[in-house]
């Protein structure tokens, strides 16, 4: 019989509905049951695309002996970290504090009051059975010690969430951050640090903005080399576009195969901005192919974007994506198969597992037309293989990242269909996830979930809507973004000027989570800082600018100390130092379009754009900005001091320089 997860809206929880473990969702009922039965809570946290979550599920949670031990002596609670990032954050902090590292699956043992007293990550079945027995014995025989330990851990973590001293991210701090990144840069394989190597999306954005502001050749070189290494290696899907979660090796050859929306949205934006800075054709190709991947494989019927494709296919990692030389010959024929194997580094020994290889494109093909046809043929053949599962829940925050990336890519690369896709996504998320003025975290198949939005939902969605406003000129998106930021300021603000991850009226966990570090995606604090900064420039609201500066200062200590974990805060700080550079283009038709193209090709990190008819309602930058002698015109203002309007491309280019 299915357990109590059978009616969940989370794809991850639904993967466990037929486990013999009597799982239930997080909620007061679970902890009340633990108090009534006088047993600990076993908390297991993961996500649908997680390879090791699947391994532990197959080894332990599908095992009858494990299930008997869990059901007899624990209340078992399963949480989707993507649906409840607040729960994940506080118990990951406990796991890291207790073990020195974290990851998923996360395994925690809690008192019936929710205090963690033991934590870890993946446990093989024999060790997990031993652990269950040991925890049961400790709960029975050393109860006072267990309760004291849980209370001590909870109190220590509450102390760590205390207000911080602000650290302004000045131009000097930004320069120092680039120097520190240079010291951590892998000059042989690009990227930062060693294996496993993750895509440093926000750090790359920071480096590109720093180059745009200062002309730093080092910053551009590190960004360009890292983008090229990722795009040419096995971490990038050479047939279908899009990036995997990370590379297990330092040379970007073998990926961990799950493909996440948040990675691809951020890397799409980075490659678009790299093309804008350099005209690099590889960056343009990767941006367009990644856009195609998002629209083809992750877009939902409602217009939003699904969270991820799984790491595994039929329980085998990489089954869909890896190739042997013989498989290439089978699809392409003898000559073309061998040629493709040489081009894609598919060897007889294999670069992955069991004689298979990931696909790399280390050099551009000498015959682009042949490669285009070959790529299409191989992709069609791959579609005939078993496919990875799709986590089809729509996460507000990550869809905000996708809206920003598609809107900017479409407008910068001249692909209006991408802007239209961004607008359709925004329409769905705003109409479905915004309930009575407050955001919900997720939806699935058009039905909104119960989990409330967290800070990065507000920040990243506002960021996306502001990018969409600048791409389309539509005043609606500016207003919705402004409303979201007003709500976030009221509900998430911390005493030190930063932001908590959860609202003041959200469920109270043993500590109120707050992250100053950017990890795989912007923290709520830096996401809100960035959106506030952009909105302040678009509206001329000085209070918003003050809030953005305060949030940046609150994130400044982490960003200055370890730039790899402050990438978005540093990128936002580049915009703060460089701007505001406000550009208003009034009018319509070919002359206005030519002016808009010049603005969109400008890489200035502090630039914001408004466009439309003079005095268009709801767009402050267009107020009292008339046409000039009946012609479209551009108004350029720096720090609220404006130049005379220009009507020609050359004059606007000079003004922006």
């Amino acid at each position: 019989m299915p357990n109590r997860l059978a009616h969940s809206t989370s794809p991850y929880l639904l993967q466990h509905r037929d486990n013999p473990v009597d799982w239930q969702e997080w909620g007061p009922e679970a902890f009340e049951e633990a108090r009534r039965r006088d047993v600990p809570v076993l908390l297991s946290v993961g996500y649908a695309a997680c390879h090791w979550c699947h391994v532990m599920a197959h080894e332990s949670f599908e095992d009858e002996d494990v299930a008997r031990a869990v059901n007899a002596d624990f209340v078992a609670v399963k949480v989707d970290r993507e649906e409840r990032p607040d729960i994940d954050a506080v118990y990951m902090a406990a796991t890291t504090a207790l073990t020195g590292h974290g990851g998923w699956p996360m395994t925690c043992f809690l008192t019936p009051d929710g205090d963690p007293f033991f934590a870890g990550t993946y446990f093989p079945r024999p060790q997990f059975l031993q652990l269950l027995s040991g925890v049961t014995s400790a709960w029975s025989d050393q109860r006072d010690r267990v309760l004291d330990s849980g209370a001590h851990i909870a109190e220590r973590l509450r102390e760590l969430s205390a207000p911080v001293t602000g650290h302004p991210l000045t131009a000097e701090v930004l320069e120092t951050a680039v120097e520190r990144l240079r010291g951590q840069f892998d000059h042989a394989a690009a990227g930062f640090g060693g294996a496993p190597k993750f895509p440093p999306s926000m750090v790359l954005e920071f480096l590109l903005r720093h180059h745009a502001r200062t002309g730093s050749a080092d910053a551009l070189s590190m960004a360009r080399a890292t983008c090229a290494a990722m795009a040419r290696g096995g971490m990038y899907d050479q047939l279908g576009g899009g990036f995997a979660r990370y590379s297990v090796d330092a040379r970007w050859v073998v990926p961990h195969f799950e493909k996440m929306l948040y990675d691809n949205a951020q890397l799409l934006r980075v490659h678009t901005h790299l093309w804008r800075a350099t005209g690099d054709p590889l960056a343009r190709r990767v941006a367009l192919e990644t856009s195609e991947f998002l629209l083809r494989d992750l877009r939902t019927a409602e217009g939003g974007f699904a969270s991820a494709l799984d790491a595994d296919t039929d329980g085998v990692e990489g089954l869909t994506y890896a190739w042997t030389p013989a498989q290439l010959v089978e699809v392409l024929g003898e000559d073309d198969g061998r040629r493709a194997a040489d081009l894609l580094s598919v060897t007889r020994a294999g670069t992955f597992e069991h004689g298979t290889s990931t696909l790399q494109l280390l050099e551009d093909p000498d015959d682009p037309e042949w490669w285009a046809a070959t790529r299409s043929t191989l992709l069609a053949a791959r579609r005939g293989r078993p496919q990875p599962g799709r986590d089809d829940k729509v996460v507000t925050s990550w869809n905000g990242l996708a809206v920003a990336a598609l809107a900017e890519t479409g407008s910068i690369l001249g692909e209006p269909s991408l802007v239209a896709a961004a607008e359709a996504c925004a329409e769905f998320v705003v109409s479905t996830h915004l309930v009575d003025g407050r955001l919900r975290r997720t939806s699935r198949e058009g039905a909104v979930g119960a989990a409330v939005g967290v800070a990065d939902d507000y920040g990243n969605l506002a960021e996306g809507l502001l990018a969409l406003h600048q791409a389309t000129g539509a005043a609606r998106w500016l207003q919705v973004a402004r409303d979201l930021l007003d709500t976030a300021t009221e509900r998430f603000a911390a005493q030190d000027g930063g932001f908590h991850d959860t609202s003041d009226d959200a469920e109270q966990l043993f500590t109120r989570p707050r992250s100053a570090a950017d990890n795989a995606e912007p923290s709520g604090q830096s996401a809100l800082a960035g959106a506030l900064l952009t909105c302040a420039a678009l509206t001329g609201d000085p209070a918003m600018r003050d809030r953005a500066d305060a949030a940046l200062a609150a994130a400044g200590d982490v960003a200055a100390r370890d730039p790899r974990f402050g990438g978005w805060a540093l990128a936002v700080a580049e915009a703060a130092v460089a701007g505001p550079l406000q550009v208003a283009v009034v009018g319509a038709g070919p002359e206005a379009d030519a002016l808009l193209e010049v603005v969109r090709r400008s890489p200035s990190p502090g630039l914001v754009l408004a466009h439309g008819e003079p005095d268009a309602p709801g767009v402050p930058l267009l107020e009292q900005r008339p046409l000039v002698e009946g012609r479209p015109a551009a108004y350029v203002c720096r720090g609220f001091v404006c130049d005379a309007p220009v009507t020609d491309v050359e004059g606007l280019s000079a003004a922006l320089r």
Side-chain angles (χ1 to χ4, degrees), residues 269 400 403-404 407-408 458-474 477-482 485 527-528 530-539 544 608-609:
R269 203 176 187 188
V403 169
E408 289 194 355
Y458 284 83
N460 286 332
L461 181 58
E463 173 82 12
L465 298 180
L466 293 170
L468 187 59
H469 165 67
Q470 293 177 81
T472 64
W477 305 122
L478 176 60
Q479 185 59 54
V480 176
R482 194 170 188 174
L485 293 172
L528 284 167
L532 284 164
L533 185 75
T534 300
C535 198
L538 285 166
T539 61
M544 270 194 177
V608 297
L609 168 66

Side-chain angles (χ1 to χ4, degrees), residues 75-445:
V75 170
V77 174
K78 183 62 86 166
V79 167
D80 182 342
R81 67 171 293 262
E82 297 172 349
E83 190 173 61
R84 289 299 303 267
D86 53 338
I87 296 171
D88 178 65
V90 298
Y91 289 105
M92 184 59 72
T95 301
T96 304
L98 287 166
T99 67
H101 64 275
W104 300 276
M106 177 166 60
T107 306
C108 295
F109 293 90
L110 319 179
T111 71
D113 291 328
D115 291 345
F117 61 88
F118 187 89
T121 52
Y122 162 75
F123 292 97
R125 178 184 175 278
Q127 288 91 322
F128 190 53
L129 279 169
Q130 292 174 4
L131 176 60
L132 293 172
S133 177
V135 171
T136 300
S137 297
W139 185 256
S140 298
D141 303 333
Q142 305 176 55
R143 177 74 60 88
D144 290 344
R145 186 175 176 183
V146 169
L147 293 175
D148 287 346
S149 173
H152 174 76
I153 293 165
E155 180 58 32
R156 179 68 182 128
L157 292 172
R158 281 191 284 268
E159 291 173 2
L160 293 176
S161 64
V164 300
T165 301
H167 189 135
L169 290 172
T170 62
E172 292 74 20
V173 173
L174 298 175
E175 184 64 41
T176 300
V178 173
E179 293 174 3
R180 289 184 176 174
L181 289 168
R182 188 185 304 117
Q184 299 170 334
F185 185 69
D186 182 343
H187 292 277
F192 301 92
K197 193 172 274 185
F198 289 82
S201 310
M202 292 162 284
V203 168
L204 297 174
E205 182 67 27
F206 160 57
L207 291 171
L208 289 173
R209 291 186 181 192
H210 187 77
H211 165 72
R213 182 176 65 84
T214 68
S216 168
D218 273 355
L220 180 61
S221 176
M222 287 188 284
R224 190 170 189 173
T226 301
C227 285
M230 291 191 299
R232 294 197 178 279
M235 203 184 85
Y236 182 68
D237 185 348
Q238 305 296 343
L239 301 183
F243 291 85
R245 173 76 275 266
Y246 64 87
S247 173
V248 301
D249 62 283
R251 303 193 67 84
W252 311 103
V253 176
V254 177
H256 199 43
F257 286 92
E258 71 260 43
K259 295 167 82 172
M260 313 300 294
L261 174 59
Y262 56 76
D263 284 324
N264 284 284
Q266 292 177 94
L267 289 169
L268 168 58
R269 203 176 187 188
V270 164
H271 282 82
T272 296
H273 293 170
L274 177 60
W275 176 81
R276 182 173 63 184
T278 64
D280 185 346
L282 175 61
R284 181 184 178 92
R285 174 173 68 80
V286 169
L288 291 175
E289 290 175 359
T290 301
S291 300
E292 291 171 6
F293 159 70
L294 291 178
L295 299 183
R296 181 188 65 240
D297 293 343
L298 291 186
R299 187 155 57 168
T300 69
E302 298 78 23
F305 290 91
S307 296
L309 297 184
D310 208 326
D312 300 350
T313 302
D314 293 346
V316 180
E317 190 175 14
L319 179 65
T320 303
Y321 301 102
W323 294 78
T324 65
Q327 289 170 333
L328 293 175
V329 168
E330 181 181 359
V331 172
L332 300 172
E334 187 73 28
D335 292 341
D336 283 346
R338 292 182 182 277
R339 185 178 179 184
D342 289 340
L343 177 67
L344 298 169
S345 301
V346 177
T347 66
R348 293 184 63 183
T351 59
F352 178 46
E353 295 177 347
H354 312 299
T356 65
S357 296
T358 61
L359 303 187
Q360 303 175 72
L361 192 61
L362 302 180
E363 297 181 356
D364 289 332
D366 54 15
D367 185 343
E369 291 185 3
W370 172 85
W371 166 239
T374 298
R375 178 175 179 260
S376 178
T377 300
L378 290 175
L379 182 59
R382 196 179 78 181
R383 289 196 185 113
R385 295 177 170 184
Q387 298 297 304
R390 187 171 86 158
D391 182 341
D392 58 357
K393 70 176 180 295
V394 175
V395 176
T396 300
S397 175
W398 306 346
N399 275 257
L401 295 173
V403 169
L406 290 167
E408 289 194 355
T409 299
S411 59
I412 291 171
L413 299 186
E415 297 286 341
S417 64
L418 301 184
V419 179
E423 193 150 27
C425 178
E427 289 280 3
F428 168 71
V429 172
V430 169
S431 64
T432 305
H433 290 215
L434 190 58
V435 180
D436 297 328
R438 303 290 291 277
L439 285 175
R440 300 283 181 86
R441 173 71 175 174
T442 65
S443 68
R444 186 165 184 258
E445 297 179 345

